Amino acid sequence: MVAPTSQLMSRLPLGLIFAVFLAIIVAAVLVTGVLPPNWRQVPDLENYDLVSARYEPIAFTDLKDWHADQLVDALPAFVRSCTRVANRADDAPFNPKEAIDLKQKGTARLGTVADWRPACVAAQEIDAARFSDPNALSAAVRNFFQDYFTPVHVVAQYERRDGARGPTAHTQKTGRLTGYFEPAYEARRGRDSEFSAPVYRRPDDLISVDLGGFDPDLAGKRIAGRLLDGALRPYPDRAAINQGAIISKTAPLAFLRPNELFFLQIQGSGKLEFEGKDAIYVGYDGQNGHKYFPIGRRLVEDGVLSLEAVSMQSIMDWLRTADADKAQEVREENKSYVFFRQIEGREDDELGPIGAQGVQLTALRSIAVDTRFHGLGTPIWVVAENLERSTDQMGWLLIAQDTGGAIKGPSRGDVFVGTGREAGDLAGPYNSIAAFYALLPKSVARNLAGDDT
């Protein structure tokens, strides 16, 4: 898992990214791309619980910018996802983590492996080398998606909490898209005064519990801790770990500057470079179970940063210039602490880290999603704005290949932007209103169209 990838926004339990400190903007984006006058209005959902998703089939012709995107660039990512499907049983649910309803569980609505296998076979048979004309290849790929899939608008459904005021239900047709990246940091094999923060391996005594295994109503919820006197107790928080609470339980993979370890833990994966001689890749391997606290909120409350100015870059700039003790105090307000493992077998240096699906991520074509509502490997058409792309194109195709702790809900996504500093500069400002359209096999979409749940 590339991990709690969007922790700056509340991440943990993914998924980043740098804007939970920003007001959550939700609005009605039409598939035509025309925004109503009140699109910036923020609905008050404080007294509502997300209970389910509705999947509304539409036509490809109704997808904003469908004929503008270079779908050829997304096809290799989809094929890589298909390799994770190939050896699974036909009757297995395509998305084993799907929760049809967060209160009432049922059979999976997103189909079985058999429903998806024909599309995977067809995608793998598209040989780009056979096309001398790029336009012919582009047309073939577009026809492939249109022949095997139906777009469905993924809509979040909320219910009012008991005793609260307001309508009993709320339907939200848009959500939010953010971006995350794989950082590259200088590292040391041993501790020194500058590189003093250990990149810890997962401790032997850390226990992670999927509560859904004990109570179906708790599906998707996890806790972590350690056994003491026969009972599961909270694991040490960030401050205690900084004071050496687990030093006998694990060993560091490397040492970073304290601020850079903090941001590595937010991203969940990264490249560690040892004085220009060699490098290793590390990935998420567990978390101490404490709730993530976005330190940008603290800096806004203290008047250090304005709400509008909060970003990964502005927080990092403040941490770098602040007194070391004050910076540590602020970092330790986030009690969450992430552990890592060294990633081996990275086959293609042009691709990113290995995501939750077990395949390498593709910059600007891979997206982290909430697997209660989207199966890993699903093509997802996203319509979003203000992403500083080189064109006015608002819609493009992404493949669900990762998860993230803050990526919660059917209309929430975190696009993988790339590796290194430039990717970080691009990912930081990503925070856009977005609409999400899953491309599902035609048979699955037909079943959903007749599903009244």
Side-chain angles (χ1 to χ4, degrees), residues 429-442:
Y430 266 45
N431 183 43
S432 177
I433 298 168
F436 295 80
Y437 304 86
L439 271 57
L440 301 179
K442 291 182 181 293

Side-chain angles (χ1 to χ4, degrees), residues 67-87:
H67 287 281
D69 192 32
Q70 295 297 317
L71 301 180
V72 171
D73 296 338
L75 184 66
F78 177 67
V79 170
R80 275 188 287 275
S81 284
C82 283
T83 64
R84 306 297 296 177
V85 176
N87 294 326

